[in-house]
Amino acid sequence: MITKEAAFVSSTSVAAELYVVGGVARAMSISVKNAKAIANRAGVKARGFSPITDFIDEMSIETMKLVNLINKDSIELSRIAINELRIRDAVEKFQKVTETASDAKYISSLDESVNKLKQNQHEEHVKLYSYARKLKNLMDEISKKMSVASVIVCNSRIEAVNAEEYRSNLESIANDIESACATIRDRVNSSEQRLDSAIQQWKGNSQDESD
Amino acid sequence: MKATNIYDQRHQWIVFGRDPEKPDGIIDTNQYLIRVDDRALLLDPGGIEIFSSMLSAVLHHVSVDQITDLFASHQDPDIISSLGLWDQALPNGRLHAPWIWEGFIRHFGLNNIQYEPIPDEGGEIHLGSVKLNMVPAHYLHSSGNFHVYDPAAKILMSGDVGAALEPPGADMFVDDFDEHINKMKMFHQRWMPSNRAKNDWVNRVRDLDIEILAPQHGRLFKGENVGRFLDWFEALEVGTAIA
């Protein structure tokens, strides 16, 4: 569990973490195309293999599309998180001024700026939660796809048994796909943890604001 | 933060500095405020680390809506890294700063304040009834650098020229010039890169009627010490880091 990382670092790391997933999904797609070529050569011996490869190929392409969406949103989330951090820093500094210069002749002239800043901060929090929710949904979608893919890979192993001399090649490809699924699942889990950690920090900050 | 009134006639000059709350390890800076009727200009408003102290001190003298103008002599962080915070406090302000640094200074955060680029030859700031001259001081030390001269108050805000490195709590004005040399010699020799730029500046500044020379670090020079400083600076070899 990642807990010590600053929220804006966590949100930025999600983009980097999931960039790797895009690469793994691409590799998965290539493995599947190899499997398809072998299955074609094997003909009737690997009859059951072709629909499985079609399915996984489609899924890897969808995963890449999801990763592209996540990349865009996580970069936007990171931009908002950094903006929120800057606004929070400004709010803290302005609050310090209102405490240390409470006797200053013109202290009330700062009120409008402070209120505007707090309003901006609130708006950034709303945006943060909205993007974080959207990202979590996209990540959940990838995780579900990977769970389905793992089941399909098990089926492909059964089909590979009937492929005689092509068996070892198809099993090796099934291993590659399984390993790719595991990598994607791990990366997505780690990204979700990072995002949860960031959300907790933002919640804490919102709490401090309202206190 | 200590506030000292250095000119108080129809308009005022106030210097802010010697901040006891300043974190250790960052250079002490002088920030200047010129107030004319209901308008105010902040000269080299300082770094992000001193923003709270600076704004707290300023609000004893003017309201935020009265601060219509900021001036940055150059791009250094101790000069203007607080810009992103002033930008939140002064939604309708203008920043006068060297044109060559616009793309750089904007990195400090500039969404509300308007950037007014100063051309190489300098220009004027009209602050109500007071006209201030932005005097070119390129390569002293920054490659795009300006000072501000107030002909009515006879004050030249001279940025890093005249700066000295002193222990915390130093007086605001130089009293013993000869003793002060040790505190500013290395600073000028190391930070100022060009003898040609220095001598050109000295020649131009000698034509100005200056009662107070007000640098961004250390003590201010008043009266005869202004001339003493110009003589000393003219004779000083600068750009000494080249072996």
Side-chain angles (χ1 to χ4, degrees), chain A residues 162-182:
Chain A
N162 301 323
E164 295 175 4
E165 70 268 33
Y166 300 99
R167 178 181 173 172
S168 63
N169 279 341
L170 290 174
E171 275 180 348
S172 159
I173 288 170
N175 288 343
D176 287 348
I177 295 170
E178 194 168 43
S179 153
C181 285

Short mmCIF file of all heavy atoms in Angstrom, two decimals, chain A residues 162-182:
data_model
loop_
_atom_site.label_atom_id
_atom_site.label_comp_id
_atom_site.label_asym_id
_atom_site.label_seq_id
_atom_site.Cartn_x
_atom_site.Cartn_y
_atom_site.Cartn_z
N ASN A 162 -5.05 -30.52 -27.98
CA ASN A 162 -5.45 -31.26 -29.19
C ASN A 162 -4.63 -30.88 -30.42
O ASN A 162 -4.84 -31.44 -31.50
CB ASN A 162 -6.93 -30.97 -29.51
CG ASN A 162 -7.82 -31.38 -28.35
OD1 ASN A 162 -7.56 -32.39 -27.69
ND2 ASN A 162 -8.85 -30.58 -28.07
N ALA A 163 -3.74 -29.87 -30.27
CA ALA A 163 -3.06 -29.35 -31.46
C ALA A 163 -1.80 -30.13 -31.83
O ALA A 163 -1.02 -29.71 -32.70
CB ALA A 163 -2.73 -27.89 -31.26
N GLU A 164 -1.59 -31.28 -31.16
CA GLU A 164 -0.48 -32.20 -31.44
C GLU A 164 0.87 -31.46 -31.55
O GLU A 164 1.31 -30.86 -30.59
CB GLU A 164 -0.79 -33.02 -32.70
CG GLU A 164 -1.98 -33.94 -32.46
CD GLU A 164 -2.43 -34.70 -33.68
OE1 GLU A 164 -1.79 -34.59 -34.74
OE2 GLU A 164 -3.45 -35.40 -33.57
N GLU A 165 1.49 -31.51 -32.79
CA GLU A 165 2.84 -30.95 -32.90
C GLU A 165 2.87 -29.42 -32.67
O GLU A 165 3.93 -28.82 -32.50
CB GLU A 165 3.49 -31.29 -34.26
CG GLU A 165 2.89 -30.60 -35.47
CD GLU A 165 1.78 -31.43 -36.13
OE1 GLU A 165 1.07 -32.15 -35.38
OE2 GLU A 165 1.60 -31.33 -37.35
N TYR A 166 1.71 -28.79 -32.71
CA TYR A 166 1.66 -27.33 -32.47
C TYR A 166 1.40 -27.00 -31.00
O TYR A 166 1.38 -25.84 -30.60
CB TYR A 166 0.55 -26.69 -33.32
CG TYR A 166 0.76 -26.89 -34.81
CD1 TYR A 166 0.08 -27.89 -35.50
CD2 TYR A 166 1.66 -26.08 -35.51
CE1 TYR A 166 0.29 -28.08 -36.85
CE2 TYR A 166 1.86 -26.27 -36.86
CZ TYR A 166 1.19 -27.27 -37.54
OH TYR A 166 1.40 -27.44 -38.86
N ARG A 167 1.24 -28.05 -30.23
CA ARG A 167 0.85 -27.86 -28.82
C ARG A 167 1.82 -26.95 -28.05
O ARG A 167 1.41 -26.01 -27.38
CB ARG A 167 0.75 -29.24 -28.15
CG ARG A 167 0.40 -29.15 -26.70
CD ARG A 167 0.33 -30.50 -26.05
NE ARG A 167 0.15 -30.38 -24.63
CZ ARG A 167 -0.11 -31.42 -23.84
NH1 ARG A 167 -0.19 -32.64 -24.34
NH2 ARG A 167 -0.25 -31.22 -22.54
N SER A 168 3.12 -27.30 -28.16
CA SER A 168 4.08 -26.55 -27.33
C SER A 168 4.11 -25.07 -27.73
O SER A 168 4.22 -24.18 -26.87
CB SER A 168 5.47 -27.16 -27.42
OG SER A 168 5.93 -27.08 -28.74
N ASN A 169 4.02 -24.78 -29.03
CA ASN A 169 4.00 -23.37 -29.48
C ASN A 169 2.80 -22.64 -28.92
O ASN A 169 2.92 -21.52 -28.40
CB ASN A 169 3.94 -23.29 -31.01
CG ASN A 169 5.31 -23.48 -31.63
OD1 ASN A 169 6.32 -23.33 -30.96
ND2 ASN A 169 5.35 -23.85 -32.90
N LEU A 170 1.64 -23.28 -29.03
CA LEU A 170 0.42 -22.63 -28.56
C LEU A 170 0.43 -22.46 -27.04
O LEU A 170 -0.02 -21.43 -26.51
CB LEU A 170 -0.82 -23.43 -29.00
CG LEU A 170 -1.10 -23.39 -30.50
CD1 LEU A 170 -2.25 -24.32 -30.87
CD2 LEU A 170 -1.44 -21.97 -30.95
N GLU A 171 0.99 -23.46 -26.34
CA GLU A 171 1.08 -23.35 -24.87
C GLU A 171 2.01 -22.21 -24.46
O GLU A 171 1.74 -21.48 -23.52
CB GLU A 171 1.56 -24.67 -24.27
CG GLU A 171 0.41 -25.63 -24.07
CD GLU A 171 0.85 -26.96 -23.48
OE1 GLU A 171 2.07 -27.23 -23.44
OE2 GLU A 171 -0.03 -27.73 -23.09
N SER A 172 3.09 -22.10 -25.23
CA SER A 172 4.04 -21.02 -24.92
C SER A 172 3.36 -19.64 -25.11
O SER A 172 3.55 -18.72 -24.30
CB SER A 172 5.26 -21.17 -25.83
OG SER A 172 5.94 -19.99 -25.94
N ILE A 173 2.56 -19.55 -26.18
CA ILE A 173 1.85 -18.28 -26.41
C ILE A 173 0.81 -18.04 -25.30
O ILE A 173 0.65 -16.92 -24.80
CB ILE A 173 1.22 -18.27 -27.82
CG1 ILE A 173 2.32 -18.13 -28.86
CG2 ILE A 173 0.21 -17.13 -27.97
CD1 ILE A 173 1.90 -18.35 -30.28
N ALA A 174 0.13 -19.14 -24.90
CA ALA A 174 -0.85 -19.01 -23.81
C ALA A 174 -0.15 -18.51 -22.53
O ALA A 174 -0.69 -17.67 -21.80
CB ALA A 174 -1.52 -20.35 -23.55
N ASN A 175 1.08 -19.00 -22.29
CA ASN A 175 1.85 -18.54 -21.13
C ASN A 175 2.15 -17.04 -21.23
O ASN A 175 2.04 -16.31 -20.25
CB ASN A 175 3.18 -19.30 -21.02
CG ASN A 175 2.96 -20.73 -20.58
OD1 ASN A 175 1.90 -21.06 -20.06
ND2 ASN A 175 3.95 -21.58 -20.83
N ASP A 176 2.55 -16.62 -22.46
CA ASP A 176 2.86 -15.20 -22.67
C ASP A 176 1.63 -14.33 -22.36
O ASP A 176 1.73 -13.29 -21.71
CB ASP A 176 3.28 -14.93 -24.13
CG ASP A 176 4.67 -15.48 -24.42
OD1 ASP A 176 5.36 -15.83 -23.45
OD2 ASP A 176 5.03 -15.56 -25.61
N ILE A 177 0.49 -14.80 -22.89
CA ILE A 177 -0.74 -14.01 -22.69
C ILE A 177 -1.12 -13.98 -21.22
O ILE A 177 -1.48 -12.93 -20.67
CB ILE A 177 -1.89 -14.58 -23.56
CG1 ILE A 177 -1.55 -14.42 -25.05
CG2 ILE A 177 -3.21 -13.87 -23.24
CD1 ILE A 177 -2.49 -15.15 -25.98
N GLU A 178 -0.97 -15.11 -20.56
CA GLU A 178 -1.28 -15.18 -19.13
C GLU A 178 -0.38 -14.24 -18.33
O GLU A 178 -0.84 -13.51 -17.44
CB GLU A 178 -1.11 -16.62 -18.63
CG GLU A 178 -1.74 -16.82 -17.28
CD GLU A 178 -1.82 -18.29 -16.93
OE1 GLU A 178 -0.84 -19.02 -17.18
OE2 GLU A 178 -2.87 -18.72 -16.44
N SER A 179 0.90 -14.25 -18.70
CA SER A 179 1.84 -13.39 -17.99
C SER A 179 1.51 -11.90 -18.26
O SER A 179 1.59 -11.06 -17.34
CB SER A 179 3.25 -13.75 -18.46
OG SER A 179 4.09 -12.68 -18.34
N ALA A 180 1.10 -11.61 -19.51
CA ALA A 180 0.72 -10.23 -19.83
C ALA A 180 -0.49 -9.80 -19.01
O ALA A 180 -0.53 -8.68 -18.47
CB ALA A 180 0.43 -10.09 -21.33
N CYS A 181 -1.47 -10.72 -18.91
CA CYS A 181 -2.67 -10.43 -18.11
C CYS A 181 -2.28 -10.10 -16.66
O CYS A 181 -2.79 -9.17 -16.05
CB CYS A 181 -3.63 -11.62 -18.08
SG CYS A 181 -4.52 -11.84 -19.61
N ALA A 182 -1.35 -10.93 -16.11
CA ALA A 182 -0.93 -10.74 -14.72
C ALA A 182 -0.24 -9.39 -14.55
O ALA A 182 -0.49 -8.66 -13.58
CB ALA A 182 0.00 -11.88 -14.30
#
